Amino acid sequence: MGYKCIEEVTEILDLLYKHGWDERNGGNLSYILTEEEVESVCDTDKVKRTFTYNFDMSSIVGKYFVITGTGKYFKNCLKDPETNLGILKVIDNHTLGLLWGYKDGGAPTSEAPTHLKCHIERLKVDPKHRLVCHCHPTNVICMTHIHDLDSNHWTEDLWKMQTESIVVFPEGIAVLPWILCGGEEIGIATAEKMKEYRSVVWAQHGLFCTGKTLDEVFGLIETIEKAAEIYMKICDKPRLQSITNEQLLTLAKAFKIDFRHGIID
Ligand code: 13P
Ligand code: ZN
């Protein structure tokens, strides 16, 4: 207890829970820690248990992660991090070594392969990338029931729900159809989208968001869910006016936003 890096993570997990975006064990998080951060919590080389994965992790060997445990409730992470979270090191191409946590014999989230594949892709485009967060935000899930699943259509509609959307996610948002969660196919598909996007929607399931910091990713989730909430509140009402393509282009120019082309231009 009292470890700053763990406290920062559990505070975000608690906030996500309090927003209603992570019911029961819904959602999971993985965050790259520095060696100094790990040293402040535990030994960096005393491996207690190992977990093996059948894909190539060579590009992240030596990295440290804090990863939520499978079946664990976000609700409980703040009061008992050592049971609900684990600190792991990628010890070779296929193996994670547990250094701390999962005190009750637990294991990394069932979505760990997807998280790790996303980290591998995001680190290629952004060396400062650190965080992958999966959650179940209500309005995003609602939208996947009534909106088509085209990524450009979602991007355009979410950008037009509120002025801040294009500022916060200028690269847009990717959408995947329903695919079996926890499996290989969804991990590969999500990581493929992460080559171009920080945010990927899983139809009838939830959202994966990535970024450099806990604040950045929490802000991304909040902004996407807020846009989806506005969409759900107005989608069956007559619209008298909305944000136009021209207005978004004016905004992009004024704020020097490098937005995804081919949607509003
Ligand atoms: P875990 O409990 O294994 O993290 O799974 C929760 C979840 O949201 C699956 O997508
Ligand atoms: Zn989920």
Side-chain angles (χ1 to χ4, degrees):
M1 296 296 271
Y3 310 122
K4 189 166 172 283
C5 58
I6 297 294
E7 266 171 27
E8 286 168 353
V9 169
T10 53
E11 275 167 17
I12 293 283
L13 293 170
D14 198 56
L15 270 181
L16 287 159
Y17 170 69
K18 285 177 177 148
H19 275 74
W21 302 331
D22 292 282
E23 75 293 340
R24 202 176 183 277
N25 66 312
N28 25 74
L29 175 147
S30 59
Y31 182 49
I32 297 174
L33 297 178
T34 64
E35 186 149 27
E36 295 70 43
E37 284 172 324
V38 178
E39 278 167 350
S40 74
V41 181
C42 60
D43 282 325
T44 54
D45 52 4
K46 284 204 181 116
V47 174
K48 298 179 173 188
R49 286 186 281 140
T50 56
F51 304 95
T52 51
Y53 296 97
N54 67 357
F55 58 94
D56 179 26
M57 295 195 277
S58 51
S59 69
I60 53 169
V61 169
K63 289 209 178 294
Y64 300 95
F65 292 88
V66 55
I67 305 179
T68 53
T70 185
K72 299 299 188 233
Y73 294 23
F74 276 28
K75 171 175 90 63
N76 298 335
C77 291
L78 190 62
K79 65 176 183 232
D80 187 5
E82 210 173 335
T83 301
N84 294 290
L85 306 175
I87 294 179
L88 302 109
K89 183 177 184 172
V90 185
I91 51 179
D92 66 43
N93 293 3
H94 296 287
T95 317
L96 293 186
L98 178 68
L99 304 175
W100 175 92
Y102 304 152
K103 212 172 65 180
D104 62 352
T109 170
S110 58
E111 307 292 2
T114 299
H115 279 250
L116 294 163
K117 285 175 183 148
C118 289
H119 282 291
I120 291 167
E121 289 308 325
R122 290 309 303 170
L123 281 166
K124 287 183 197 161
V125 280
D126 180 4
K128 291 193 171 144
H129 156 88
R130 288 182 76 178
L131 179 63
V132 175
C133 183
H134 166 55
C135 56
H136 297 171
T138 314
N139 291 287
V140 169
I141 299 171
C142 287
M143 262 186 82
T144 68
H145 288 266
I146 63 163
H147 194 286
D148 71 59
L149 300 178
D150 180 275
S151 301
N152 283 354
H153 294 167
W154 267 67
T155 297
E156 178 174 357
D157 281 339
L158 294 184
W159 279 353
K160 288 183 173 173
M161 287 303 103
Q162 56 187 359
T163 303
E164 281 297 300
S165 283
I166 196 171
V167 180
V168 177
F169 50 102
E171 81 277 30
I173 185 164
V175 184
L176 289 176
W178 190 93
I179 304 172
L180 179 67
C181 57
E184 194 171 338
E185 186 190 350
I186 203 163
I188 293 169
T190 308
E192 185 60 32
K193 295 290 184 197
M194 289 291 177
K195 291 179 177 169
E196 290 186 30
Y197 298 87
R198 286 171 301 154
S199 315
V200 180
V201 172
W202 286 3
Q204 295 86 50
H205 186 137
L207 179 63
F208 261 77
C209 281
T210 66
K212 299 181 209 347
T213 66
L214 293 157
D215 273 353
E216 178 193 334
V217 175
F218 189 78
L220 190 55
I221 296 166
E222 279 183 304
T223 309
I224 291 168
E225 171 61 4
K226 178 75 168 274
E229 181 180 356
I230 297 167
Y231 183 90
M232 290 310 301
K233 284 190 166 145
I234 64 170
C235 64
D236 56 352
K237 310 247 181 344
R239 265 186 234 185
L240 302 183
Q241 57 278 316
S242 193
I243 303 178
T244 64
N245 288 352
E246 290 66 37
Q247 286 168 333
L248 283 181
L249 292 169
T250 304
L251 180 72
K253 199 170 166 206
F255 281 65
K256 298 190 175 47
I257 300 165
D258 182 19
F259 64 93
R260 175 174 296 273
H261 290 288
I263 298 174
I264 53 156
D265 54 347

